[in-house]
Amino acid sequence: PAGGVLAALVLPLLGGVRPGFLFLAGLCLAGAVAGALALRDPVAPELETERTPWSLRDARLWRLCIASGLYLPAQISIMSFAVLFLHDARGFSTGEAAAVLAASQALAAAARIGAGRWSDRLRARIVPLRRVGVASFATVALVAVVVDAPAWLLVPLIALAGAVSMAWNGLSFTAAAELAGRARSGAAIGVQQTMLALAGVGIPVA
């Protein structure tokens, strides 16, 4: 979300597609350099051998992956199409529409941290994940109801719906990692990310 805020604020000022892609490429390069200079694997204790190793046949992981895929449409719809909708259907300038996206991303950053802290206090991931899903349904449904309402009502709801639609990611990734255990957490998150990518292919088209 922090990167989304930066992109939403800067891209409309660059005045074209080519400068926009060059800016994004520059951010990718900066991230690669920062990773090469700063990221290191921590010294970790030897991973314990589990008596019942996790495997891809674990139905709990597949339920989590499918549920996460069903959460994705709200996130993709708001984050991918809000600017286009506000510009084309409601007459916002590019900068004004992008500012709504930036606000949504800023709220999303707070929502992800808040959801994570909440789940830590509960010592549970699935209960908060379910409640975030209900909240995402409610906020997106409200946007649908007021889609033709005045901007003063519609814009805050779009920003809120976008933020809530992004609040679940950390909970979902952590649940997958904890489900598999430390020794297999990379594989579990890889499966989950693959499922989300597959969902992400069809959702924008649909």
Side-chain angles (χ1 to χ4, degrees):
V5 171
L6 178 62
L9 293 176
V10 172
L11 287 174
L13 304 177
L14 298 180
V17 174
R18 187 185 303 275
F21 274 110
L22 289 173
F23 172 73
L24 295 175
L27 290 182
C28 291
L29 178 61
V33 171
L37 295 175
L39 293 180
R40 298 289 182 271
D41 281 321
V43 178
E46 186 174 344
L47 298 177
E48 69 279 2
T49 301
E50 300 175 6
R51 284 180 290 180
T52 54
W54 170 84
S55 76
L56 289 175
R57 293 188 296 272
D58 191 328
R60 295 172 300 170
L61 176 67
W62 291 106
R63 287 197 296 268
L64 179 64
C65 289
I66 292 169
S68 299
L70 293 173
Y71 279 33
L72 197 61
Q75 181 175 316
I76 288 182
S77 297
I78 299 292
M79 293 301 157
S80 299
F81 299 114
V83 170
L84 185 66
F85 164 72
L86 291 172
H87 181 273
D88 288 1
R90 298 303 302 263
F92 281 50
S93 70
T94 302
E96 290 169 341
V100 176
L101 179 62
S104 188
Q105 293 277 9
L107 291 171
R112 283 187 173 176
I113 295 170
R117 288 176 60 85
W118 175 32
S119 74
D120 287 343
R121 288 197 301 270
L122 290 178
R123 297 184 179 181
R125 312 298 176 195
I126 302 302
V127 169
L129 192 58
R130 289 171 175 165
R131 293 177 182 174
V132 168
V134 172
S136 185
F137 155 74
T139 53
V140 174
L142 276 174
V143 170
V145 169
V146 303
V147 74
D148 296 318
W152 64 264
L153 177 59
L154 176 63
V155 164
L157 285 175
I158 288 177
L160 178 62
V164 175
S165 75
M166 294 183 69
W168 59 271
N169 298 69
L171 297 175
S172 180
F173 302 160
T174 304
E178 291 177 347
L179 182 70
R182 182 170 179 171
R184 301 296 302 277
S185 59
I189 294 175
V191 170
Q192 184 187 51
Q193 292 296 291
T194 300
M195 293 291 289
L196 292 177
L198 292 174
V201 169
I203 290 166
V205 177

